[in-house]
């Protein structure tokens, strides 16, 4: 990692370009904090990370060091090159006002990671309908393989844990400090990220 | 069900409109055959079924009778109103030429459910990049909740098994007789479907 990490404030999000070969480090500075990550091909935003393709090709729900993240066109957009936690989620869409209304019963819901991503990606011409299932860094979703029941648990990440991604093509990345109570063990914390050029 | 069922030939696909209140019955006439289903809102094709939203709201990977299928905008597009099997998949994208190349090593791959859906949906103005994770009727994906490993198993459906969906809004539906060897216990069979008006 080179340069000072950037901070994503609690319950907010950012978007930025990540060039081919650059590495993105996502850090949980306090522990038990999720970061939703989405990525689009910079030169053609209709190509986007795909949970369905990635899980199919990996034959595994849980991704970690060495696993590629595929696009809807079956190209590798990112490789996971370092992971100090080993448990993340690639099943669920970013939390949204609807999530908080439907799951939590909030009458005046926060816009959630979905709203934060939509706002951050809007300057890149990416509309909210294009936001896919996110790679939810540090998110811990327990799965009962027999019943199919899932449960959102506190992240396994502790202060300083990190995941490093390498871009295989020029990308537009959206990244949040997640806004859902359950996902972050009922405390909203920041996320740090840093971008490093190839060695 | 009213009217004679329509047949989807092995390794092919169709698209059709399904009006609000109409019921779509998907039948496995010979057993162990998967049908990939996608659905778009007819009046705004940017609204589409969403595995991530649906699984999040259900807190369950396996959907069956009584479960709604949500869109990317968190509206219910379909309800599952009858299901004689109880095991389907909502994790994986439709099989494609890339699937056969990457997973099976085919040098001259079939276009798969993805190609069949793309061709069937093209007259409705729906491009291939818009095809989401499908609701894979009768598809049996075994999941190890501890390791996250997944394995495609023979469907649990036997001849005559069916799932009935009710449209909550006017839809464009894509439906296939799945083209992947593993998914259909290594034999490609047809799928039947019928559309019934509200009682």
């Amino acid at each position: 990692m080179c340069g000072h990490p950037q901070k994503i404030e609690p319950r907010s999000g950012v978007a930025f370009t990540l060039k081919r070969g650059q590495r993105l480090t996502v850090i949980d500075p306090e522990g038990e904090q999720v970061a939703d990550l989405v990525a689009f091909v910079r030169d053609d935003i209709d190509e986007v990370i795909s949970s369905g393709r990635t899980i199919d090709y990996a034959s595994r729900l849980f991704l970690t060091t060495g696993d590629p993240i595929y696009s809807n066109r079956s190209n590798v957009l990112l490789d996971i090159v370092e992971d100090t936690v080993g448990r993340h989620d690639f099943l669920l869409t970013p939390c949204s006002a609807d999530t908080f209304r439907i799951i939590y019963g909030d009458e005046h819901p926060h816009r959630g990671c979905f709203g934060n991503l939509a706002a951050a990606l809007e300057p890149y011409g990416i509309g909210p309908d294009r936001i896919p299932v996110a790679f939810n860094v540090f998110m811990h979703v327990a799965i009962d393989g027999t019943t199919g029941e899932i449960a959102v648990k506190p992240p396994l990440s502790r202060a300083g844990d990190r995941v490093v991604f390498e871009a295989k093509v020029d990308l537009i990345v959206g990244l949040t400090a997640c806004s859902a109570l359950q996902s972050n063990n009922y405390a909203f914390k920041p996320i740090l990220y840093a971008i490093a050029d190839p060695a």
Side-chain angles (χ1 to χ4, degrees), chain A residues 4-199:
Chain A
H4 198 68
Q6 304 290 305
K7 187 178 187 178
I8 306 175
E9 296 295 337
R11 296 192 113 185
S12 72
V14 297
F16 49 85
T17 56
L18 188 70
K19 290 186 187 166
R20 181 180 173 201
Q22 284 188 320
R23 291 185 169 198
L24 167 68
T25 300
V26 179
I27 304 160
D28 180 355
E30 298 180 19
E32 299 189 334
Q33 174 62 44
V34 168
D36 289 15
L37 180 149
V38 295
F40 303 78
V41 172
R42 195 186 59 179
D43 293 339
D44 187 347
I45 57 174
D46 281 331
E47 184 165 9
V48 57
I49 59 167
S50 167
S51 62
R53 295 257 169 255
T54 302
I55 290 169
D56 198 5
Y57 300 152
S59 289
R60 195 168 3 92
L61 298 180
F62 311 142
L63 305 181
T64 186
T65 308
D67 283 322
I69 298 180
Y70 282 89
S71 77
N72 54 336
R73 297 182 193 166
S74 295
N75 299 309
V76 177
L77 300 194
L78 291 158
D79 278 332
I80 303 175
V81 295
E82 186 186 340
D83 176 7
T84 65
V85 178
R87 185 64 178 254
H88 316 283
D89 171 72
F90 205 9
L91 297 175
L92 303 179
T93 27
C95 60
S96 67
D98 293 309
T99 311
F100 299 135
R101 179 176 55 77
I102 293 171
I103 295 185
Y104 296 88
D106 289 359
E107 288 184 20
H108 303 287
H110 189 272
R111 68 182 184 177
C113 285
F114 186 81
N116 287 331
L117 288 168
L121 292 166
E122 194 275 337
Y124 294 93
I126 297 168
D129 289 328
R130 295 286 87 80
I131 294 173
V133 169
F135 186 76
N136 299 305
V137 185
F138 309 125
M139 188 172 185
H140 181 193
V141 178
I143 295 169
D144 183 320
T146 305
T147 65
E149 300 285 338
I150 65 172
V152 178
K153 300 284 190 185
L156 300 180
S157 52
R158 294 193 286 188
D161 272 325
R162 67 190 60 209
V163 180
V164 183
F165 302 88
E166 182 172 302
K168 307 311 283 183
V169 59
D170 291 354
L171 298 170
I172 299 160
V173 173
L175 189 67
T176 71
C178 174
S179 305
L181 279 168
Q182 260 190 331
S183 305
N184 306 293
N185 204 14
Y186 298 88
F188 302 124
K189 290 139 285 177
I191 284 289
L192 302 181
Y193 71 100
I195 296 170
D197 286 324

